[in-house]
Amino acid sequence: MSEKMFTDPSVPRGERFDGWGFTDSGLDIDSTGAKLIGSRYEMSGKRLPYLLNWANGVLGTDLVLQPEFQSQGLTPINAAREMGSFIQALGSIAWSQDETARRRHGHGHALEEVYAIRHGRLLRVPDMIVYPISEAEVQSIVQLGKDHKVLLVPFGGGSNVSHALACPEHDPRAIVSVDMRRMNQILELDTENRVAHVQAGIIGSELQLELEKRGYTLGHEPDSNEFSTLGGWIATRSSGMKKNRYGNIEDLVLDLRMITTQGLIQGKAMPRESMGTDPRTLAFGSEGNFGIITSARVKIFKLPEVQQFDSVLFHDFASGYQFMKELAKYPPYPASARLMDNFQFQFGQALKPETTGWKLQKSKIERAIVTGPLGFKPDSMCACTLLYEGSRAEVAAQSARIGQLAKQFNGFRAGGENGKRGYQLTFAIAYIRDFLMRFGIMAESFETSVSWSELPSMCEAVKQRILSEHKRLGLPGNVIISWRVTQLYHSGAAVYFYLGTLVTGVKNPAEQFATLEHAARETILEHGGSISHHHGVGKLRAGFVKDVKSSAGLAWIEGAKQHLDPDNIFGIGNQ
Amino acid sequence: MSEKMFTDPSVPRGERFDGWGFTDSGLDIDSTGAKLIGSRYEMSGKRLPYLLNWANGVLGTDLVLQPEFQSQGLTPINAAREMGSFIQALGSIAWSQDETARRRHGHGHALEEVYAIRHGRLLRVPDMIVYPISEAEVQSIVQLGKDHKVLLVPFGGGSNVSHALACPEHDPRAIVSVDMRRMNQILELDTENRVAHVQAGIIGSELQLELEKRGYTLGHEPDSNEFSTLGGWIATRSSGMKKNRYGNIEDLVLDLRMITTQGLIQGKAMPRESMGTDPRTLAFGSEGNFGIITSARVKIFKLPEVQQFDSVLFHDFASGYQFMKELAKYPPYPASARLMDNFQFQFGQALKPETTGWKLQKSKIERAIVTGPLGFKPDSMCACTLLYEGSRAEVAAQSARIGQLAKQFNGFRAGGENGKRGYQLTFAIAYIRDFLMRFGIMAESFETSVSWSELPSMCEAVKQRILSEHKRLGLPGNVIISWRVTQLYHSGAAVYFYLGTLVTGVKNPAEQFATLEHAARETILEHGGSISHHHGVGKLRAGFVKDVKSSAGLAWIEGAKQHLDPDNIFGIGNQ
């Protein structure tokens, strides 16, 4: 028995416990305005002089730091149960009952959860965490879970936004979180077949770095890449920004290993096979309900010969939408193509760091040309950021296609620098939400997928619904609802919404915000959108599942669950 | 109650009941040699003067029509049970107890099955067939199956080669085949989102024709395209010759509907979604075990602007293999790329129709150049047939890539005509196997998928194993084992083997042949190959399943089966 509690990997990694991101980064404010502290990101260390003014304008009120929205220490949590006999049985398997670690393992990064750890309360968090370092340890833990009748919760990066880690409040059993982040090794790198066997607890950016050192990439780059893990990607059906080139997680995983209470589910890493019903499909979207994914064999790709950013401005969202729809029709596709609406375009402008001298002049001139002779209107124009990857010839072909399509839809190619900024903003932007909360603003992103034909009307309907719901709830200021089109598909696309509102003086602000978001999801489903494109269901969207899965389908899942986990050891209760 | 037996769709379609294909086509022989009769295929009506001579040479004996291998009428079958009350309950649903139709619904097109219907016996065939025309009728049939405790067998095109339709001999229940071919309508054609909602009983070539009329294609072209159905493709995880461009069936199907004994499993046709475990995945590879697929929403593509054939000759298989491996690394990919070994290259030459005049001279000159100054050796050279599809720019890019790679691996581009012949031979070649049986030759194709690194050694090991097994069994003449590399994947490829041997004077020839094929499969698995790339498991390969699925995985499938079909109504017993 190990007597000392293990230090949670979030600590040496420098992760925040009070919100998204790393402690060395984040937005701060002083008398001169906002600034991204630290040195981790491209825009780190730079002042953002336009942000607050712009936010004042769009929210229809002057932003003021709200005393009741400043962090006053993290919310207390339920006392840990006495786990002596379980700890004894763990032997040399690392564990912790540290309060900060326990809190961290009881939530993801949904807005309501971040609010809860700062100002509300988490109904329940795990009683302890175990930190296996091998598949054998995971097998022992699952066996112990059965023997000791505890509830096991697989934990990857804890970056979900679906309340997937919210613990069942009234389950009489002790809850043990199984943190997989120590299982972060590349077990095998088969460069001839371009397959890597990787432990499931590896974090995206770690894997990226390790593969890059060897000249390879997985090509999977979700927004959460600095925190989410390979196992988490599989369990939530993750999607990355470069999916047009590399595919989504189900396209990238050739084989996986999942420990269930009935043993190991595994296959062989085949290029493609027809061998009847494939038990491995159960792992995709499993969200912790069936077992613990320990490793996967994934495709790897040689680092691209060329990587080139680009951007195209459009006169309005409708033109940009037509451009995206046409682009999706046949290859070559850019690795990434993301179309922002006018609000997000303006937001991107507001996030520009302070510039001086020639750069400022250049930027002013560009702006003058675009809005002058080229006739782009600041309050209707929008932008598409692009990334080309591949051989020299491929990148040339991708770029040529964009050139031709941009022309067809009266777009203006605004160059690589703007494209790169747009792409990299993704990682910094995640800090903004938690920063805005200090001003009494609640904001959240949520996504869906929808057919091309329904996309524009769905977005417009969501906007109308949010406007009327915001009014009905009597929330202060202007509500913000904005979207971008991200991953492209044959028959439709993924759409990412931003929703933001002031909640100063509002009672139960997180609940009010949840009501708004729920209304948006209702409208999304009414207009043919999906429950989720890649965030998953968790508990946040569980109420919608019966609308999209037939009762026989649900009964089958229930049957699989009963069979694979008759005692509901994996009782986190998602979906 | 309908009093008249319904005429099986195979009759108006002109399908053979004694082997593969249509009655208007097939190989025949007279004193001047072999000939493909009819007018259905490009090579129809043409004499094949080189075929028999060549076959004599490779088999090491002079081929003679064997009296005991000539068709003497089809094998008798078990008497149909009295189904009066079931027929009564069917109401207006069409049905048949015709003997020929019953026999046809009790087998696929595996070599042993064709031998059985001609010279051996089928252990059991269905007692009757029902022919639903709507999803409502399928629902009624499933309900009647439960009420009357009969065994239901979904039937698509009956073109499987996995013994999937072989009926359980000792099951005490009546067996009812559910022939889906009347459900062949395109229910909806959504050209904006490029999705068609199609009934599952539609035959590949029917769907192709109907879509082509409207300017579209599914892009799915399996070798069985003239007989197999959409539902059958899903149930067996089918793959087509143009998968490099359009994907496999699981890539093409966005949604499907499957009637189980517990109700309908369905979803919504989303571009891509993350909604937890997806019950629809159960249908892929279901092989008739879980329910009846009634319709699917599939991707459709505008007919390509350009379609262009090509071919490349290589000095040896090793060079061709390197070419394929390199080609798989990044786009653009040709829609189809198939690499034949030297035997199949020679076979293709032997299948050339008679030519005269300038065409003969041209062919002689070409041959002289290739084997003369270019130094290709007839007994080691091999060929890759290619098909480019897409916009003008795409086809140019595909062709340019092939040009560059052909150069890299010392290939010689042998032009579009040879490529087209090779591609279209696929449909005619299927007739040859049944023709050869009349000479006492048994031949079969079987496929696998394997990693790039193992591909050459697996093929060589299969060859050695077949040679030694052929000797051990004491079979006459030379055994033929040959392969081609068909679909390309990131980490490997599909490999198609041809196996042929004389069985004149051999006792239980079909069993002896099955022993040979089983030995090949053992060696395939030993060398990392899959049970099947796209034929499926059925009963032929069921013995290998425990080697590739872990016990927890198998237990899960068993659990799903128990839950969805507790009375084993779908009791065909595949996998």
Side-chain angles (χ1 to χ4, degrees), chain B residues 80-392:
Chain B
R81 303 204 186 178
E82 199 282 310
M83 302 291 295
S85 67
F86 188 82
I87 290 172
Q88 182 108 34
L90 281 173
S92 58
I93 297 170
W95 60 274
S96 174
Q97 287 196 302
D98 173 75
E99 187 177 309
T100 306
R102 285 178 51 230
R103 186 188 294 105
R104 178 64 196 91
H105 286 74
H107 70 84
H109 278 284
L111 184 273
E112 295 89 340
E113 292 177 303
V114 175
Y115 181 79
I117 55 174
R118 291 182 177 188
H119 312 289
R121 80 183 184 97
L122 295 170
L123 296 177
R124 188 175 172 191
V125 302
D127 297 288
M128 69 177 294
I129 305 128
V130 291
Y131 300 92
I133 199 156
S134 66
E135 189 176 275
E137 287 198 354
V138 174
Q139 273 166 329
S140 299
I141 290 164
V142 173
Q143 186 57 49
L144 288 176
K146 287 163 74 174
D147 295 347
H148 291 252
K149 301 197 192 325
V150 303
L151 193 161
L152 297 177
V153 184
F155 182 95
S159 59
N160 76 79
V161 287
S162 64
H163 301 192
L165 288 171
C167 292
E169 192 183 357
H170 302 294
D171 196 294
R173 297 172 293 178
I175 298 180
V176 177
S177 181
V178 185
D179 187 316
M180 296 296 290
R181 287 178 290 176
R182 292 175 78 203
M183 290 181 60
N184 63 353
Q185 300 301 301
I186 296 177
L187 300 173
E188 193 194 339
L189 195 78
D190 173 356
T191 55
E192 181 168 8
N193 298 309
R194 300 188 297 160
V195 178
H197 186 197
V198 185
Q199 287 185 313
I202 198 165
I203 289 167
S205 51
E206 283 176 4
L207 178 57
Q208 198 167 15
L209 197 69
E210 289 304 313
L211 288 176
E212 271 175 15
K213 277 185 205 163
R214 296 159 172 89
Y216 286 87
T217 179
L218 175 67
H220 191 66
E221 210 165 296
D223 296 5
S224 60
N225 199 42
E226 300 165 292
F227 305 98
S228 56
T229 61
L230 172 57
W233 297 340
I234 296 168
T236 55
R237 290 177 58 83
S238 158
S239 178
M241 290 191 279
K242 300 197 273 192
K243 94 88 202 161
N244 298 340
R245 182 169 180 86
Y246 301 99
N248 287 322
I249 195 67
E250 68 274 20
D251 306 310
L252 291 167
V253 170
L254 294 170
D255 189 25
L256 56 87
R257 295 168 71 88
M258 180 164 74
I259 313 286
T260 73
T261 68
Q262 306 305 301
L264 175 66
I265 285 183
Q266 63 162 134
K268 278 170 108 178
M270 292 296 174
R272 192 260 185 182
E273 58 197 325
S274 171
M275 54 155 205
T277 306
D278 188 346
R280 290 171 294 181
T281 55
L282 187 65
F284 291 97
S286 52
E287 299 192 2
N289 293 323
F290 298 109
I292 300 177
I293 300 158
T294 54
S295 69
R297 284 189 166 82
V298 295
K299 295 181 188 172
I300 53 171
F301 303 83
K302 272 223 161 183
L303 283 172
E305 194 182 358
V306 183
Q307 189 180 54
Q308 189 181 310
F309 289 93
D310 198 359
S311 61
V312 181
L313 300 178
F314 293 99
H315 286 277
D316 48 34
F317 183 77
S319 310
Y321 158 76
Q322 290 296 342
F323 163 90
M324 296 290 270
K325 190 173 163 186
E326 195 60 33
L327 176 56
K329 286 195 175 159
Y330 56 84
Y333 307 113
S336 179
R338 303 196 297 170
L339 176 73
M340 293 168 282
D341 72 357
N342 177 257
F343 178 90
Q344 290 192 28
F345 172 70
Q346 290 191 29
F347 187 31
Q349 299 301 306
L351 279 170
K352 280 202 168 166
E354 199 172 29
T355 40
T356 51
W358 165 237
K359 245 190 154 173
L360 176 65
Q361 292 311 314
K362 183 167 169 269
S363 154
K364 277 187 176 171
I365 292 165
E366 280 170 1
R367 199 182 177 95
I369 292 171
V370 166
T371 56
L374 292 172
F376 284 81
K377 296 199 170 53
D379 60 351
S380 64
M381 63 191 286
C382 74
C384 179
T385 58
L386 296 141
L387 171 59
Y388 313 130
E389 283 194 1
S391 67
R392 229 163 274 282

Side-chain angles (χ1 to χ4, degrees), chain A residues 190 192-195 236-239 245 248-251 254 260 262-282 284-287 290 299-301 321 325 328-332 391 394 449-454 489-493 525 528-537 545 547-560 562-564 575, chain B residues 190 192-195 236-239 245 248-251 254 260 262-282 284-287 290 299-301 321 325 328-332 391 394 449-454 489-493 525 528-537 545 547-560 562-564 575:
Chain A
D190 173 356
E192 182 168 7
N193 297 309
R194 301 187 298 161
V195 178
T236 55
R237 290 178 58 83
S238 158
S239 177
R245 182 169 180 86
N248 287 321
I249 196 67
E250 68 274 20
D251 306 310
L254 295 170
T260 74
Q262 307 304 303
L264 175 67
I265 285 183
Q266 64 163 132
K268 279 170 107 179
M270 292 295 173
R272 192 260 186 185
E273 59 196 324
S274 170
M275 55 153 206
T277 307
D278 188 345
R280 288 171 294 181
T281 56
L282 187 67
F284 292 97
S286 53
E287 299 191 3
F290 297 108
K299 294 180 187 171
I300 52 171
F301 303 82
Y321 158 75
K325 189 174 164 186
K329 287 195 175 158
Y330 56 86
S391 67
E394 282 185 278
S449 49
V450 69
S451 67
W452 287 113
S453 60
E454 294 297 319
Y489 295 93
H490 178 91
S491 63
L525 262 72
S530 65
I531 285 190
S532 166
H533 168 259
H534 65 269
H535 284 168
V537 179
V545 167
D547 299 332
V548 294
K549 291 186 192 171
S550 61
S551 58
L554 288 169
W556 167 69
I557 295 171
E558 185 52 33
Q562 279 170 22
H563 199 82
L564 268 185
Q575 297 161 33
Chain B
D190 173 356
E192 181 168 8
N193 298 309
R194 300 188 297 160
V195 178
T236 55
R237 290 177 58 83
S238 158
S239 178
R245 182 169 180 86
N248 287 322
I249 195 67
E250 68 274 20
D251 306 310
L254 294 170
T260 73
Q262 306 305 301
L264 175 66
I265 285 183
Q266 63 162 134
K268 278 170 108 178
M270 292 296 174
R272 192 260 185 182
E273 58 197 325
S274 171
M275 54 155 205
T277 306
D278 188 346
R280 290 171 294 181
T281 55
L282 187 65
F284 291 97
S286 52
E287 299 192 2
F290 298 109
K299 295 181 188 172
I300 53 171
F301 303 83
Y321 158 76
K325 190 173 163 186
K329 286 195 175 159
Y330 56 84
S391 67
E394 281 185 279
S449 49
V450 69
S451 66
W452 287 113
S453 60
E454 294 297 319
Y489 295 94
H490 179 90
S491 63
L525 263 73
S530 64
I531 284 191
S532 166
H533 168 258
H534 64 271
H535 283 169
V537 179
V545 167
D547 298 334
V548 295
K549 291 186 190 169
S550 60
S551 58
L554 288 169
W556 167 68
I557 295 170
E558 184 52 34
Q562 278 170 24
H563 199 83
L564 268 185
Q575 297 161 33

Side-chain angles (χ1 to χ4, degrees), chain A residues 291-310:
Chain A
I292 300 176
I293 299 158
T294 53
S295 68
R297 285 188 166 82
V298 295
K299 294 180 187 171
I300 52 171
F301 303 82
K302 272 222 161 183
L303 284 172
E305 193 182 0
V306 182
Q307 188 180 54
Q308 189 182 309
F309 289 92
D310 197 0

Side-chain angles (χ1 to χ4, degrees), chain B residues 398-420:
Chain B
Q398 289 168 25
S399 173
R401 179 112 195 276
I402 295 301
Q404 177 250 316
L405 284 177
K407 205 169 161 187
Q408 186 176 342
F409 297 103
N410 304 310
F412 173 75
R413 289 180 95 169
E417 206 174 313
N418 285 313
K420 190 175 179 185

